[in-house]
Amino acid sequence: MDCETALNLISARLDGEISPEEQLRLDEHLSGCADCRAAAEEWPRQHEQLRRAFGPRREAAEFLADRVIAARAPPRRFAWWAMLASAAAGFLLAVVLLQPWNRPAPLGIAPRSKAPPQPIAHLALATGVVEIHDPGSGQWRAM
């Protein structure tokens, strides 16, 4: 085993994440490597010093996070009445903007407030020659 792997295993041992097989391999390496053995003896002391130095802050941060999560209001649900009111407001806005009472009537439909339009032609069934009279001329001609 090389020293880099041994240092990783020492760190894993501090975190409680080392298997029994890896512990045996690490012990073999530590018996023959003075540098890794020194690191294995020093790192737990440093770990404990860091835990004592930053433990109260960490506990306070966890407590605050738990309180914030507990105090967070549940998300509001969109009520059906709000959706209905929105639809009604949209419809009212469309009516006001488009003003359907001020639109001209479609072709072929007489407006209610005016007299019916005068016909511009009469349709009849012809059984013979159809003649037309051009405006401005006094004669009829065959169509």
Side-chain angles (χ1 to χ4, degrees):
M1 171 184 299
D2 63 348
C3 291
E4 183 178 347
T5 305
L7 294 176
N8 286 335
L9 289 176
I10 293 169
S11 178
R13 183 172 64 180
L14 284 173
D15 296 334
E17 299 174 350
I18 191 169
S19 69
E21 296 83 18
E22 291 171 328
Q23 180 65 48
L24 286 175
R25 288 182 34 219
L26 177 62
D27 290 339
E28 278 181 29
H29 181 80
L30 292 178
S31 66
C33 181
D35 291 337
C36 291
R37 191 171 43 252
E41 292 170 0
E42 183 60 29
W43 283 9
R45 283 192 289 266
Q46 289 177 354
H47 186 73
E48 188 55 37
Q49 289 172 351
L50 289 171
R51 186 182 304 263
R52 278 182 291 180
F54 293 104
R57 283 186 177 175
R58 183 175 182 171
E59 290 172 11
E62 288 176 357
F63 176 73
L64 179 62
D66 291 341
R67 283 189 53 196
V68 168
I69 291 170
R72 188 177 73 93
R76 289 185 54 192
R77 298 169 87 190
F78 193 67
W80 65 270
W81 59 267
M83 191 179 339
L84 183 63
S86 298
F91 179 75
L92 182 62
L93 182 64
V95 168
V96 169
L97 290 177
L98 298 177
Q99 297 179 357
W101 57 88
N102 286 339
R103 288 193 173 197
L107 292 176
I109 298 177
R112 294 182 186 180
S113 61
K114 298 180 183 176
Q118 298 297 320
I120 56 171
H122 292 283
L123 182 61
L125 179 60
T127 58
V129 179
V130 175
E131 295 181 337
I132 59 170
H133 183 265
D134 291 325
S137 84
Q139 296 184 357
W140 289 87
R141 67 178 174 91
M143 187 164 150

